[in-house]
Amino acid sequence: QQQQQQQQGGVILGVMDEALTKESGGALLGLVKYSNTNTTKIDIRPTFLQQECINGQDITSFTIDGRNRLLTLSTASLLPKDEEEEEKRNIMPLVDLRPLGDFVQHYACVVDYVIFDKDVIISEDTLTCVPKRHLWQDNFDSFPYNNDQKGIKVSKKKKSMTRTTNRKIIAVFDTGLTGCLLTQPFWDELCQEKQIIRDDGDGGSSSSSNSNLDPSTFTSVQVKIRGFTNTNNHRNSSDNTNQKVMKGANNNIIDESLSSTTTSYTTIGSSINESRLFYINPILLDWFDDDETAPHVIVLGQTFLGRGALTIDMDDHKAFFESNA
């Protein structure tokens, strides 16, 4: 039957059970193209994008424009291949989580830091241009570290807290999700008490207090993702040198596509003031083989992605988000 449908140009789609349909609010059409052929966690089936083609050619790129409710599928890349244009538009490298056990190739990027309300959470082993100390942001739209690496401007406007996680942070784009999800270990770490340095509001600081966060009270989230630099290390798509790959053994990332001199970021954010559907919840994921060394994951749904257009190039392993805000 499957072979007959494929010969007739039909596409076979999975059907969700009643509980998942109720949870998601309707039927979902997955846009993840590639599965993990080595996984035993799921039964491998051809995905929608592996089955669908245009004039006999495979789909390699798509754009989902939330504001205009438009999905564009393309057999050619929708992102520039020119180095200068790529850097100018701040194209983001995708990271492959399948070597860590993920059963599909989710569209994911390494995060440098996340701003929850006024608190800055820095990803572990963020590139060397980031000083390894507690710092403050001056406002939500600026990078909390200056570009000349000589220190940070301490905020006198409001109290804030900055701390580094004990794992890398990965952002996953999920157009079938509404709000924001944090993997349970990430949620739990935010809730743990840690010694921190706080801005006292007068330009000084104190380091004697311990503080924990309550993620359920967050009303805004901003995720900062570093883009490609002007380098030739990621140009050859045939050997995947343009893709950052998570290493399962020591959780390191092959990071030749990024340079410590880069200071350009894509900001993807949302808040309760911008959408009444905004929320943050914890989630238990079964993606990774080793939960003790797995990265922290923040999943961004339509309250984030719906504020612009997300373009994914599956074969060149690149992403671009153009905000309409």
Side-chain angles (χ1 to χ4, degrees):
Q1 182 181 4
Q2 178 178 349
Q3 183 178 5
Q4 182 180 3
Q5 286 180 306
Q6 289 177 339
Q7 289 174 348
Q8 295 174 352
V11 175
I12 300 175
L13 300 177
V15 178
M16 299 183 297
D17 60 28
E18 183 178 350
L20 186 55
T21 300
K22 184 177 180 180
E23 180 181 346
S24 64
L28 297 178
L29 176 65
L31 294 176
V32 171
K33 183 174 182 179
Y34 296 115
S35 302
N36 184 347
T37 57
N38 297 320
T39 188
T40 58
K41 297 177 182 178
I42 61 172
D43 294 329
I44 300 297
R45 296 288 189 273
T47 66
F48 165 68
L49 291 181
Q50 283 178 320
Q51 298 178 71
E52 189 60 41
C53 61
I54 301 174
N55 296 327
Q57 293 183 299
D58 291 340
I59 294 170
T60 62
S61 189
F62 69 83
T63 296
I64 184 164
D65 187 340
R67 285 290 178 88
N68 296 311
R69 298 177 177 271
L70 179 65
L71 172 63
T72 302
L73 304 177
S74 175
T75 60
S77 177
L78 295 172
L79 295 176
K81 294 184 179 295
D82 177 80
E83 295 180 13
E84 293 185 2
E85 184 64 22
E86 188 178 74
E87 184 176 4
K88 179 181 178 181
R89 292 183 62 184
N90 199 30
I91 305 300
M92 301 175 290
L94 293 174
V95 60
D96 190 356
L97 300 177
R98 289 178 295 176
L100 293 182
D102 197 358
F103 42 85
V104 297
Q105 189 179 25
H106 285 100
Y107 304 126
C109 292
V110 176
V111 173
D112 265 29
Y113 65 103
V114 184
I115 304 174
F116 296 106
D117 292 343
K118 62 185 178 181
D119 297 313
V120 181
I121 308 300
I122 306 170
S123 184
E124 179 204 47
D125 293 336
T126 296
L127 303 183
T128 55
C129 65
V130 178
K132 296 294 184 180
R133 54 182 174 175
H134 293 285
L135 308 164
W136 297 272
Q137 60 184 19
D138 196 42
N139 59 67
F140 287 166
D141 296 323
S142 64
F143 183 43
Y145 319 108
N146 64 2
N147 296 338
D148 58 10
Q149 305 182 35
K150 293 181 180 179
I152 302 307
K153 189 174 183 180
V154 176
S155 173
K156 297 182 180 181
K157 299 179 182 179
K158 55 183 176 291
K159 290 184 179 180
S160 60
M161 181 181 73
T162 302
R163 73 190 198 197
T164 303
T165 67
N166 58 22
R167 307 187 191 189
K168 293 180 176 66
I169 302 175
I170 303 295
V172 171
F173 307 126
D174 188 347
T175 58
L177 177 70
T178 300
C180 175
L181 299 175
L182 304 181
T183 46
Q184 192 67 56
F186 192 6
W187 183 283
D188 293 343
E189 184 181 343
L190 294 178
C191 294
Q192 292 173 359
E193 289 193 355
K194 287 190 175 183
Q195 186 174 10
I196 53 92
I197 302 176
R198 283 190 179 276
D199 174 15
D200 63 10
D202 295 319
S205 63
S206 62
S207 59
S208 59
S209 63
N210 288 330
S211 179
N212 60 335
L213 301 175
D214 182 358
S216 65
T217 65
F218 293 149
T219 60
S220 68
V221 176
Q222 289 196 30
V223 176
K224 302 284 186 174
I225 301 172
R226 187 181 296 250
F228 277 123
T229 60
N230 191 1
T231 174
N232 289 322
N233 287 337
H234 62 280
R235 301 303 163 191
N236 186 356
S237 60
S238 62
D239 60 3
N240 288 341
T241 55
N242 62 331
Q243 183 183 23
K244 296 170 68 180
V245 179
M246 296 294 293
K247 288 282 191 176
N250 53 14
N251 205 29
N252 288 335
I253 298 177
I254 297 174
D255 207 10
E256 294 179 351
S257 61
L258 297 181
S259 165
S260 61
T261 61
T262 312
T263 54
S264 114
Y265 287 83
T266 293
T267 301
I268 305 178
S270 184
S271 72
I272 192 66
N273 293 329
E274 295 164 334
S275 174
R276 62 182 179 83
L277 300 177
F278 173 88
Y279 64 82
I280 304 178
N281 285 333
I283 186 173
L284 287 170
L285 291 181
D286 59 352
W287 295 0
F288 305 112
D289 294 335
D290 186 352
D291 291 335
E292 297 299 320
T293 60
H296 287 326
V297 176
I298 178 170
V299 188
L300 305 179
Q302 283 293 359
T303 52
F304 294 79
L305 305 178
R307 303 180 68 231
L310 174 68
T311 299
I312 299 290
D313 188 317
M314 291 88 76
D315 292 345
D316 281 346
H317 316 292
K318 299 184 293 187
F320 174 67
F321 183 74
E322 185 174 17
S323 176
N324 294 329

